[in-house]
Amino acid sequence: MADFNCLYSHGFLRVASCVPSGRVADPAFAARAHLELAAQGHARDVGVMLFPELGLSSYAIDDLLLQDALLDRVETAAGDLVAASRDLYPVLVVGAPLRREGQLFNTALVIHRGALLGAVPKSYLPNYREFYERRHFVPGLGQRGGTIRVAGQEVPFGTDLLFRSRGSVPLTFHVEVCEDIWVPLPPSTRAALAGAELLLNLSASNITIGKARHRRLLCASHSARCIAAYAYSAAGPGESTTDLAWDGQAAIFENGDALGESERFPAGPTLVAADIDLERLRQERMRTNTFGDCVREEGTGGFRTVGFVLDRPAAAVPLERVIERFPYVPADASRLAEECYEAYNIQVQGLAQRLAATGVRHAVIGVSGGLDSTQALIVATRAMDRLGRPRSDVLAYTLPGFATSDATRANAQALIAALGVTGSEIDIRPAARQMLADLGHPFARGEPVYDVTFENVQAGLRTDYLFRLANRAGGLVVGTGDLSELGLGWCTYGVGDHMSHYNVNASVPKTLIQHLIRFVAASGDVSPETAGVLDAVLATEISPELVPAEAGAAIQSTQQVVGPYALQDFNLFYLTRYGFRPSRIAFLAERAWGDVERGRWPANIPPEDRRAYSRAEIRHWLRVFLTRFFANQFKRSALPNGPKITAGGSLSPRGDWRAPSDAGAQVWLEELDAALPPEA
């Protein structure tokens, strides 16, 4: 069985983009410099290492590129790298000028375990502004199906090469050189269509003001368009500065995300490594059907596949990649503020449009003093503001039951007053007692029986009252239940919080709702009194308040039953957004939550909530999640309307998630148990 603790067992690949120190036209020095970094990569179990364009000769040496003495030494240096690679784990991708059939090519050499796997010529040669590569080189365009002899080996040569591992680390990668990424249709585009997940670019790329930003834009956007990882390495210290300068920019991107970038203008050699998520890329390509359409329309380019074997290292390799604890809540403060602004306005716009389209006058909402109803009430008031209607058109009701606490009731009433909506209270206990008596429930005889019937009688009555109030007032019921509750089935089907006329929170996870409320409280758009009430709501234990607490005991806690929302939102995201197998979700969760000091926390997470979870806890709550998620699909198959909020997706049967109501969790539970037994 693969080692659970190893990143290579879970579809990750460690890639390094390197900038060695150079010396003008000194291939022997260049080979040593490359091998010094290769040794570092070997020590870190890097799978693929990328080096700059023409790294074995130097780039900015002009007509020295046409000197046989130099070209002979380049081949010798290439042979030295091939020989030294026998004892190195990584695949090495290095740049060299090579002669073939009386012509000179700017090439990338792919080397692994004592073998030269192939040579890829640069397709597009710039001959504008400071560049005049056509003076020395022949374009690689049209070079397909050939071979080249280098350092005593006859190897594949051409722009039609894909390199594919047949080992226990499955991987397909493609190589292009510098200018190839700057053209309208980079060669790697067709390589991605042909199956390459990792795209590599050896570059020299002199630096001018603003050029580094342009490179990032090109590489990041290309990785997103190709649903691929893209590694880039530019020449650095030691290149000739006769007329140009070099910043040594090395960076790695994945599907639009920047995973790592080296320090620019380094004084010495640099290596930036990142753990790319190959399984994420494969999942994205599989579910993005237009990617497959493009493959069929454009073809796969007739690439040749060069096989090699990359196996997992003998020892487990810990994942170095930062995994966000809260996939719905970015740790970066500026990005979090932007996403809260967007989520908040999506909710407001959705409800405002529904109110305008239906022509109803009132928005009817039940307010408990908890997180979800607080957010929904704020959204309802702002929807009225946007429509130019009085906030009094929002009809907010508190509906206390047998377990409603004084604190939450006070919070609800204070919020209603602070926001200026029309507030009323209906005590549901008399009606609940009558219904329980009609049902012959023991509670009606004075017995303290607090079963699911006892709870759902209260939940159902609250919703029933709201719908009848909406009928009477000519309004619609605004739903409050959130995405996390829908994922866990923590909602009363049909007659309870599962149902509404329009649910503004349906696609908002619990972990994000807290930050949306904080965003409003700190925005300056609400009064200090309102901000104070919002802070009080945020400090309240998450509870359905359906079961009375015994004297001196804590109130009913949702998270003690369904698990910590922090973990369950994590599980929900990776199961529904990416379709990852449970063992992989557990692996990622342990990386995200196993150490309280690892990585950044989003702003305003209270100190008491900054905790770690053990592997046993992660496994336990993941099993709870899987069991509840599959058992409650029937609730998600019958959801009211509500806007999609996050890129993580919604659970609407008309949107991101469509599943049968009678599927079981056994396959997923068995996969988790096989990879991570209880005693592990």
Side-chain angles (χ1 to χ4, degrees):
M1 184 172 65
D3 192 330
F4 180 83
N5 300 301
C6 182
L7 69 92
Y8 285 102
S9 300
H10 296 279
F12 287 91
L13 172 75
R14 184 161 295 163
V15 174
S17 187
C18 310
V19 182
S21 294
R23 187 180 292 171
V24 176
D26 191 339
F29 177 89
R32 292 193 299 271
H34 280 63
L35 286 173
E36 287 175 5
L37 288 175
Q40 294 180 32
H42 174 80
R44 292 181 60 181
D45 297 297
V46 173
V48 178
M49 300 186 72
L50 173 69
F51 293 87
E53 176 184 14
L54 296 178
L56 293 186
S57 62
S58 299
Y59 176 84
I61 57 175
D62 301 317
D63 289 350
L64 297 184
L65 286 165
L66 297 173
Q67 293 289 310
D68 281 338
L70 178 72
L71 296 174
D72 290 345
R73 287 296 184 91
V74 165
E75 288 208 34
T76 299
D80 292 342
L81 287 179
V82 172
S85 73
R86 290 190 182 93
D87 300 319
L88 297 174
Y89 179 68
V91 176
L92 308 179
V93 183
V94 304
L98 293 180
R99 293 163 292 192
R100 179 178 183 270
E101 298 178 354
Q103 297 176 314
L104 187 65
F105 292 89
N106 180 343
T107 71
L109 302 179
V110 180
I111 300 167
H112 187 235
R113 291 295 195 187
L116 180 58
L117 302 180
V120 180
K122 185 174 182 176
S123 292
Y124 295 95
L125 302 180
N127 236 55
Y128 56 86
R129 293 196 296 272
E130 65 264 45
F131 305 109
Y132 47 99
E133 289 188 26
R134 283 179 179 266
R135 178 180 176 93
H136 310 111
F137 297 113
V138 174
L141 294 170
Q143 296 292 333
R144 306 172 65 83
T147 62
I148 189 172
R149 189 164 188 81
V150 183
Q153 297 187 42
E154 191 78 19
V155 299
F157 173 84
T159 59
D160 57 342
L161 301 182
L162 292 181
F163 300 88
R164 180 168 295 157
S165 167
R166 302 185 301 267
S168 59
V169 180
L171 161 72
T172 303
F173 70 86
H174 173 265
V175 181
E176 62 190 8
V177 184
C178 198
E179 184 75 9
D180 293 348
I181 186 62
W182 295 77
V183 301
L185 184 63
S188 56
T189 304
R190 294 198 186 280
L193 296 178
E197 304 126 333
L198 172 61
L199 313 176
L200 304 171
N201 187 297
L202 306 84
S203 184
S205 193
N206 65 296
I207 186 61
T208 55
I209 293 172
K211 193 173 184 180
R213 182 174 62 252
H214 199 154
R215 293 184 195 128
R216 290 189 200 101
L217 177 64
L218 280 174
C219 296
S221 61
H222 192 57
S223 73
R225 183 174 295 107
C226 292
I227 313 181
Y230 199 91
Y232 179 92
S233 176
E239 271 290 354
S240 172
T241 57
T242 301
D243 290 299
L244 304 171
W246 315 88
D247 64 337
Q249 186 177 20
I252 301 169
F253 303 86
E254 178 188 295
N255 200 21
D257 299 329
L259 300 186
E261 182 175 340
S262 65
E263 178 186 354
R264 294 170 57 224
F265 302 103
T270 59
L271 178 156
V272 58
D275 297 338
I276 64 172
D277 192 343
L278 294 172
E279 287 201 9
R280 175 199 178 199
L281 297 173
R282 292 166 188 150
Q283 265 281 346
E284 284 291 86
R285 287 183 177 182
M286 183 170 60
R287 69 182 57 232
T288 307
N289 64 297
T290 49
F291 186 92
D293 292 341
C294 195
V295 172
R296 289 184 289 275
E297 177 67 19
E298 300 295 332
T300 56
F303 283 91
R304 288 180 287 166
T305 299
V306 179
F308 66 101
V309 175
L310 183 65
D311 285 324
R312 299 186 191 101
V317 183
L319 185 69
E320 294 180 352
R321 178 176 174 136
V322 173
I323 304 297
E324 291 268 14
R325 291 180 177 86
F326 300 94
Y328 297 105
V329 183
D332 179 77
S334 61
R335 184 179 157 203
L336 175 58
E338 180 181 0
E339 293 192 7
C340 284
Y341 167 82
E342 289 180 336
Y344 180 52
N345 280 281
I346 290 169
Q347 291 180 283
V348 171
Q349 183 190 59
L351 181 58
Q353 171 62 21
R354 180 53 55 93
L355 289 168
T358 57
V360 300
R361 179 180 174 187
H362 294 110
V364 177
I365 184 169
V367 183
S368 68
L371 291 170
D372 294 343
S373 64
T374 294
Q375 175 63 16
L377 182 58
I378 294 169
V379 168
T381 60
R382 287 306 174 91
M384 292 301 182
D385 293 345
R386 177 168 295 192
L387 293 169
R389 290 159 55 177
R391 290 188 173 187
S392 57
D393 281 352
V394 177
L395 308 183
Y397 293 87
T398 55
L399 301 150
F402 297 119
T404 301
S405 68
D406 292 339
T408 55
R409 187 176 181 181
N411 285 344
Q413 292 172 341
L415 187 64
I416 288 170
L419 292 175
V421 301
T422 301
S424 298
E425 181 169 288
I426 298 175
D427 188 342
I428 68 166
R429 288 173 292 184
R433 286 193 181 94
Q434 181 62 53
M435 182 174 285
L436 290 167
D438 293 342
L439 296 172
H441 193 277
F443 180 80
R445 300 191 298 269
E447 299 177 33
V449 176
Y450 307 128
D451 56 11
V452 67
T453 303
F454 175 82
E455 294 189 47
N456 283 352
V457 161
Q458 297 172 79
L461 279 170
R462 284 174 175 148
T463 303
D464 197 21
Y465 272 114
L466 292 174
F467 271 93
R468 304 296 76 79
L469 289 164
N471 294 154
R472 182 181 178 190
L476 62 78
V477 177
V478 178
T480 61
D482 63 49
L483 182 73
S484 307
E485 293 174 345
L486 289 171
L488 291 160
W490 193 249
C491 50
T492 305
Y493 181 76
V495 298
D497 51 345
H498 167 263
M499 193 49 59
S500 64
H501 287 122
Y502 190 80
N503 188 356
V504 294
N505 287 342
S507 295
V508 185
K510 188 79 76 177
T511 47
L512 179 58
I513 279 183
Q514 300 175 47
H515 292 276
L516 293 175
I517 294 172
R518 289 189 180 100
F519 173 77
V520 172
S523 66
D525 292 339
V526 296
S527 68
E529 292 78 15
T530 303
V533 176
L534 297 179
D535 289 337
V537 170
L538 288 165
T540 302
E541 171 71 41
I542 299 173
S543 171
E545 292 196 323
L546 294 172
V547 176
E550 296 181 5
I555 66 171
Q556 182 183 15
S557 171
T558 298
Q559 295 184 93
Q560 288 181 3
V561 178
V562 300
Y565 277 117
L567 280 184
Q568 301 301 37
D569 279 0
F570 189 96
N571 296 332
L572 176 66
F573 178 87
Y574 283 107
L575 184 80
T576 60
R577 175 63 183 84
Y578 290 117
F580 288 164
R581 56 184 64 87
S583 62
R584 193 169 201 263
I585 296 173
F587 174 76
L588 296 174
E590 188 171 33
R591 175 64 189 173
W593 286 99
D595 183 350
V596 73
E597 300 298 331
R598 183 188 296 134
R600 293 186 299 167
W601 290 83
N604 303 316
I605 296 290
E608 62 271 19
D609 290 341
R610 300 190 179 201
R611 59 153 296 181
Y613 291 96
S614 67
R615 178 177 291 183
E617 289 175 305
I618 289 168
R619 183 185 181 280
H620 168 74
W621 290 119
L622 179 53
R623 285 186 60 85
V624 170
F625 171 80
L626 292 169
T627 302
R628 294 190 64 95
F629 181 82
F630 282 93
N632 287 280
Q633 174 59 36
F634 72 97
K635 297 180 181 180
R636 298 184 289 272
S637 295
L639 288 179
N641 292 170
K644 177 178 175 178
I645 303 294
T646 77
S650 76
L651 292 175
S652 167
R654 299 166 298 277
D656 283 349
W657 183 255
R658 301 169 196 188
S661 295
D662 46 6
Q666 196 59 33
V667 168
W668 288 261
L669 293 171
E670 289 175 356
E671 193 281 334
L672 177 62
D673 291 344
L676 196 61
E679 65 276 7

